[in-house]
Amino acid sequence: MRFEHLLQVTDPGNPHMPPMSRSELWRGLLLRVESPDRFPLGPDRCHVRPGASVDERERSIHYGALHFEDVVKLEPEHRVVFKPEPHEGAVPVGLAITIEEPAPGGLFLRFIYEAPPLSPEEKPLQGYREQAWLENDREMLRTLREWQHEGRL
Protein backbone atom coordinates (compact mmCIF):
# COMPACT_ATOMS: atom_id res chain seq x y z
CA MET A 1 0.00 0.00 0.00
CA ARG A 2 1.29 3.45 -0.94
CA PHE A 3 -0.26 6.87 -0.36
CA GLU A 4 1.46 10.02 -1.55
CA HIS A 5 0.56 13.70 -1.42
CA LEU A 6 2.19 17.11 -1.75
CA LEU A 7 1.70 20.25 0.37
CA GLN A 8 2.83 23.66 -0.82
CA VAL A 9 4.78 25.50 1.87
CA THR A 10 5.83 28.70 0.07
CA ASP A 11 5.05 30.53 -3.15
CA PRO A 12 7.18 33.61 -3.89
CA GLY A 13 4.49 34.84 -6.32
CA ASN A 14 1.71 34.72 -3.73
CA PRO A 15 1.81 37.62 -1.21
CA HIS A 16 -0.84 35.85 0.92
CA MET A 17 1.43 32.85 1.54
CA PRO A 18 4.04 33.74 4.16
CA PRO A 19 7.64 32.96 3.22
CA MET A 20 9.57 30.25 5.06
CA SER A 21 13.19 29.30 4.54
CA ARG A 22 14.35 25.76 3.92
CA SER A 23 16.26 25.86 7.23
CA GLU A 24 13.13 26.95 9.15
CA LEU A 25 11.15 24.17 7.49
CA TRP A 26 13.88 21.67 8.36
CA ARG A 27 13.91 22.80 12.00
CA GLY A 28 10.15 22.28 12.04
CA LEU A 29 10.52 18.74 10.67
CA LEU A 30 13.14 18.03 13.34
CA LEU A 31 10.58 19.09 15.95
CA ARG A 32 8.17 16.55 14.49
CA VAL A 33 10.89 13.93 14.98
CA GLU A 34 12.18 14.95 18.40
CA SER A 35 9.07 16.48 20.04
CA PRO A 36 6.00 15.09 18.24
CA ASP A 37 3.98 15.40 21.45
CA ARG A 38 4.09 19.22 21.01
CA PHE A 39 1.93 18.97 17.88
CA PRO A 40 -1.89 19.10 18.21
CA LEU A 41 -2.41 15.60 16.75
CA GLY A 42 0.79 14.16 18.20
CA PRO A 43 1.32 11.32 20.65
CA ASP A 44 0.87 11.55 24.41
CA ARG A 45 4.58 10.87 24.99
CA CYS A 46 7.71 10.30 22.96
CA HIS A 47 11.16 9.30 24.18
CA VAL A 48 13.98 9.96 21.68
CA ARG A 49 17.40 8.29 21.78
CA PRO A 50 20.42 8.63 19.48
CA GLY A 51 20.46 6.01 16.74
CA ALA A 52 23.31 4.15 15.09
CA SER A 53 24.58 7.34 13.42
CA VAL A 54 24.46 11.09 13.96
CA ASP A 55 21.61 11.30 11.41
CA GLU A 56 19.41 8.68 13.08
CA ARG A 57 17.02 8.68 16.04
CA GLU A 58 15.30 5.81 17.83
CA ARG A 59 11.96 6.63 19.38
CA SER A 60 9.40 5.13 21.77
CA ILE A 61 6.00 6.61 21.05
CA HIS A 62 2.85 6.36 23.18
CA TYR A 63 -0.71 7.10 22.06
CA GLY A 64 -2.69 6.13 25.14
CA ALA A 65 -2.31 2.36 25.55
CA LEU A 66 -0.77 1.99 22.07
CA HIS A 67 3.02 1.90 22.16
CA PHE A 68 5.45 1.43 19.31
CA GLU A 69 9.08 1.99 18.39
CA ASP A 70 10.50 3.52 15.27
CA VAL A 71 13.80 4.58 13.75
CA VAL A 72 14.02 7.95 12.02
CA LYS A 73 16.68 8.61 9.39
CA LEU A 74 17.58 12.23 8.67
CA GLU A 75 18.98 13.66 5.47
CA PRO A 76 19.60 17.24 6.65
CA GLU A 77 17.46 19.88 4.96
CA HIS A 78 16.18 17.28 2.49
CA ARG A 79 14.32 14.23 3.87
CA VAL A 80 13.06 12.52 7.02
CA VAL A 81 12.22 8.80 6.89
CA PHE A 82 10.21 7.15 9.67
CA LYS A 83 10.59 3.36 9.85
CA PRO A 84 8.33 1.76 12.46
CA GLU A 85 9.22 -1.51 14.08
CA PRO A 86 6.56 -4.24 13.73
CA HIS A 87 4.19 -4.11 16.68
CA GLU A 88 1.13 -5.95 17.86
CA GLY A 89 -2.25 -4.56 16.93
CA ALA A 90 -1.39 -2.53 13.84
CA VAL A 91 0.37 -2.77 10.51
CA PRO A 92 3.57 -0.68 10.59
CA VAL A 93 3.30 2.27 8.20
CA GLY A 94 6.51 3.94 7.03
CA LEU A 95 6.60 7.60 6.13
CA ALA A 96 9.07 9.67 4.12
CA ILE A 97 8.80 13.48 4.11
CA THR A 98 10.88 15.21 1.46
CA ILE A 99 11.48 18.94 1.03
CA GLU A 100 11.22 19.84 -2.65
CA GLU A 101 12.06 23.16 -4.29
CA PRO A 102 11.17 23.00 -8.00
CA ALA A 103 11.74 26.77 -8.35
CA PRO A 104 13.79 29.12 -6.13
CA GLY A 105 11.81 29.95 -2.99
CA GLY A 106 8.95 27.60 -3.86
CA LEU A 107 9.02 24.94 -1.16
CA PHE A 108 6.83 21.83 -1.05
CA LEU A 109 6.63 18.84 1.28
CA ARG A 110 6.09 15.43 -0.33
CA PHE A 111 4.65 12.79 2.00
CA ILE A 112 4.89 9.11 1.06
CA TYR A 113 3.21 6.53 3.31
CA GLU A 114 4.03 2.86 2.70
CA ALA A 115 2.80 -0.32 4.32
CA PRO A 116 2.46 -4.01 3.46
CA PRO A 117 -0.57 -4.93 1.31
CA LEU A 118 -3.85 -4.53 3.11
CA SER A 119 -5.99 -7.44 4.14
CA PRO A 120 -9.50 -7.65 2.67
CA GLU A 121 -10.87 -6.48 6.03
CA GLU A 122 -8.63 -3.39 6.06
CA LYS A 123 -9.23 -2.24 2.47
CA PRO A 124 -12.57 -0.50 3.17
CA LEU A 125 -10.85 1.63 5.84
CA GLN A 126 -8.01 2.83 3.61
CA GLY A 127 -9.78 5.98 2.45
CA TYR A 128 -10.36 7.04 6.06
CA ARG A 129 -6.72 6.34 6.88
CA GLU A 130 -5.52 8.46 3.95
CA GLN A 131 -7.81 11.34 4.96
CA ALA A 132 -6.48 11.16 8.53
CA TRP A 133 -2.86 11.22 7.30
CA LEU A 134 -3.57 14.16 5.01
CA GLU A 135 -5.27 16.13 7.77
CA ASN A 136 -2.44 15.34 10.22
CA ASP A 137 0.13 16.60 7.70
CA ARG A 138 -1.88 19.77 7.00
CA GLU A 139 -2.18 20.37 10.75
CA MET A 140 1.59 19.91 11.13
CA LEU A 141 2.22 22.56 8.47
CA ARG A 142 -0.31 24.94 10.09
CA THR A 143 1.50 24.44 13.40
CA LEU A 144 4.91 25.10 11.84
CA ARG A 145 3.61 28.32 10.29
CA GLU A 146 2.21 29.40 13.65
CA TRP A 147 5.52 28.63 15.38
CA GLN A 148 7.43 30.49 12.66
CA HIS A 149 5.18 33.53 13.12
CA GLU A 150 5.89 33.37 16.89
CA GLY A 151 9.66 33.09 16.26
CA ARG A 152 9.85 29.52 17.58
CA LEU A 153 11.53 28.04 14.47
Side-chain angles (χ1 to χ4, degrees):
M1 182 282 316
R2 181 181 169 106
F3 174 65
E4 181 175 337
H5 69 91
L6 195 64
L7 294 180
Q8 187 169 13
V9 179
T10 61
D11 179 355
N14 182 349
H16 301 292
M17 186 175 278
M20 181 181 287
S21 70
R22 181 181 280 266
S23 62
E24 287 174 314
L25 183 55
W26 179 252
R27 286 192 300 271
L29 291 178
L30 285 178
L31 287 170
R32 181 164 175 180
V33 171
E34 297 179 347
S35 302
D37 48 324
R38 292 178 53 194
F39 287 83
L41 301 175
D44 301 323
R45 294 188 328 268
C46 179
H47 178 70
V48 181
R49 304 170 300 284
S53 73
V54 69
D55 292 328
E56 187 176 281
R57 307 288 186 277
E58 295 177 355
R59 307 184 313 165
S60 297
I61 300 169
H62 301 265
Y63 285 92
L66 176 64
H67 168 254
F68 66 93
E69 307 280 326
D70 70 0
V71 174
V72 183
K73 302 215 183 258
L74 308 171
E75 295 176 34
E77 295 203 11
H78 179 64
R79 180 179 293 129
V80 178
V81 179
F82 300 84
K83 295 184 176 193
E85 299 292 325
H87 57 282
E88 195 172 316
V91 173
V93 178
L95 169 61
I97 305 173
T98 305
I99 299 173
E100 297 182 2
E101 190 171 2
L107 295 174
F108 290 81
L109 288 174
R110 181 173 303 277
F111 297 81
I112 301 174
Y113 291 85
E114 293 187 296
L118 299 172
S119 70
E121 298 81 28
E122 293 174 309
K123 283 185 181 182
L125 300 176
Q126 187 57 28
Y128 295 110
R129 223 183 262 170
E130 291 172 2
Q131 277 304 118
W133 292 333
L134 179 60
E135 186 51 38
N136 186 53
D137 297 336
R138 286 177 175 156
E139 185 62 33
M140 178 202 72
L141 185 53
R142 280 190 289 271
T143 301
L144 295 183
R145 287 190 175 153
E146 180 181 306
W147 290 347
Q148 179 203 29
H149 179 74
E150 295 170 354
R152 295 166 52 188
L153 290 182

